[in-house]
Amino acid sequence: MYAQMIKSEATEDDPQRLAEFQARIDAGEKIEPKDWMPEGYRKTLIRQIGQHAHSEIVGQLPEGNWITRAPTLERKTNLLAKVQDEAGHGLYLYCAAETLGVSRDEMTEMLLDGRMKYSSIFNYPTLTWADMGAVGWLVDGAAIMNQVPLQRTSYGPYARSMVRICKEESFHQRQGFHIMMAMVKGTEAQKRMAQDALNRMWFPALMMFGPSDKDSVHSSQSMAWKIKMNTNDELRQKFVDETKPQADYLGLTIPDENLKWNEETGHYDYTEPDWNEFFEVIKGNGPCNADRIEARQKAWNEGAWVRDAMMAHAEKKRGAKANGAAQ
Ligand code: BYC
């Protein structure tokens, strides 16, 4: 199915239809699954929504790592709920992508063989409990910054899935900040753990927004189609501007000597992340890429019997229905 789509994308779309389609987007109309759409639009959405879904699913791994070691029962139930929410987000997003003619199985295979990506951030390890705070505060904080505007994206099923996801991400961000507050109010050692988590997560969190605008391949077309509502740098700047006062409130230092308020621009100046590191991570060479894919491959292999059983059950039901109809 996906291969067919790529093939048909090579055929030129009718300019008249393209213009009508763009006019609908410009007028703020939502595009729905059965509407005509250019193949490039469909393919870009599958790539972005699929990558987003995979990020939610792979994103469970670094946090799942801490469920059994959460310091209190309350922290454990909160973390468990957060990780479950992420599984739910992955499912809504896979469903949204499926409305575009790709199956969840195909997307999973593309994740496992490297044809589809997931967010770079999940290729970093979570070494201490403070990382659960930093992930909630910074990673979910960055995710919300990116996803709130996507509630207005042009593709109906994607926009609608974002509404619920954003509500849940806000809770995640708050619970992460709450963990950080507890850590900074704790012992000196706990405060050091919180600072260490911020030191390690800061630049990877900035990378979540994607490469700088000059290196972004897809931004201009995706923004014209309202698949993206802002550029990568716009959202990164917004994140820095909102997060710096939160770090001050926590009494923590963002690990960037160049982070300074700029009166002229009305924004913080900051150091860009190491883009070589980013491109290495998305090529598969980050600290945890191999572990993450291995864990997903294992889950896929071990779930094969469930998928087979469900197919056999559906087949049996179809057979029983056909027999009933024949009698
Ligand atoms: N990681 O042209 P560009 C979350 C790739 S997690 C990996 O700017 P685009 C959460 C990009 O795919 C957040 N790859 O791309 C879950 C492209 O390569 P391909 C997930 C990245 O798509 C659990 C190339 O770099 N959120 O929510 O216009 C717990 C050039 O980039 C990354 C979403 O997915 C990256 N960070 O813009 C907590 C939101 N950045 O595909 C939280 C929806 C770029 O040509 N997605 N690349 O091989 C988006 O908004 C956009 O896809 C991005 C990238 C801003 C991420």
Side-chain angles (χ1 to χ4, degrees), residues 47 51 117 119-120 146 203-220 223 228 230-237 270 272-280 282:
R47 184 183 60 78
Q51 169 170 310
K117 295 186 165 75
S119 182
S120 49
N146 167 283
F203 286 107
L206 294 188
M207 292 175 193
M208 288 176 68
F209 296 96
S212 62
D213 289 352
K214 66 179 173 19
D215 295 320
S216 171
V217 188
H218 305 291
S219 282
S220 59
M223 285 177 68
K228 266 170 97 161
N230 304 86
T231 73
N232 301 351
D233 287 337
E234 278 168 11
L235 291 174
R236 193 169 8 254
Q237 181 70 61
Y270 64 94
E272 298 241 338
D274 175 349
W275 291 119
N276 288 332
E277 177 181 322
F278 168 78
F279 286 113
E280 278 305 308
I282 68 171

Side-chain angles (χ1 to χ4, degrees), residues 26-185:
D26 295 343
E29 279 182 42
K30 290 276 178 260
I31 308 300
E32 296 298 338
K34 289 186 179 159
D35 295 349
W36 183 84
M37 61 187 79
E39 282 307 314
Y41 178 84
R42 185 193 304 275
K43 200 176 155 220
T44 302
L45 277 170
I46 290 177
R47 184 183 60 78
Q48 182 168 313
I49 303 174
Q51 169 170 310
H52 193 167
H54 295 323
S55 304
E56 298 283 354
I57 297 301
V58 176
Q60 294 176 97
L61 296 169
E63 290 178 289
N65 176 35
W66 278 93
I67 291 172
T68 55
R69 291 176 286 166
T72 67
L73 183 59
E74 192 191 356
R75 293 290 185 204
K76 191 192 287 280
T77 51
N78 284 352
L79 186 59
L80 201 54
K82 178 184 194 290
V83 172
Q84 281 175 348
D85 285 350
E86 277 146 17
H89 298 174
L91 296 185
Y92 316 146
L93 288 162
Y94 282 130
C95 288
E98 280 183 319
T99 64
L100 293 154
V102 63
S103 74
R104 188 171 152 190
D105 285 5
E106 284 174 294
M107 285 183 277
T108 304
E109 279 158 16
M110 287 192 276
L111 166 73
L112 296 177
D113 69 18
R115 277 177 294 158
M116 281 183 100
K117 295 186 165 75
Y118 57 91
S119 182
S120 49
I121 188 73
F122 302 118
N123 292 308
Y124 291 86
T126 44
L127 302 177
T128 71
W129 172 252
D131 288 10
M132 294 302 95
V135 167
W137 172 36
L138 301 174
V139 175
D140 289 84
I144 301 172
M145 202 58 83
N146 167 283
Q147 288 164 203
V148 165
L150 292 178
Q151 294 176 103
R152 292 178 286 113
T153 193
S154 61
Y155 189 56
Y158 190 27
R160 289 189 287 274
S161 70
M162 277 305 139
V163 174
R164 177 153 173 195
I165 291 178
C166 285
K167 284 188 183 145
E168 292 176 350
E169 296 288 17
S170 305
F171 156 71
H172 298 169
Q173 196 270 354
R174 294 306 289 261
Q175 73 100 31
F177 194 75
H178 197 254
I179 293 175
M180 292 308 265
M181 293 238 293
M183 300 291 291
V184 299
K185 284 188 194 150

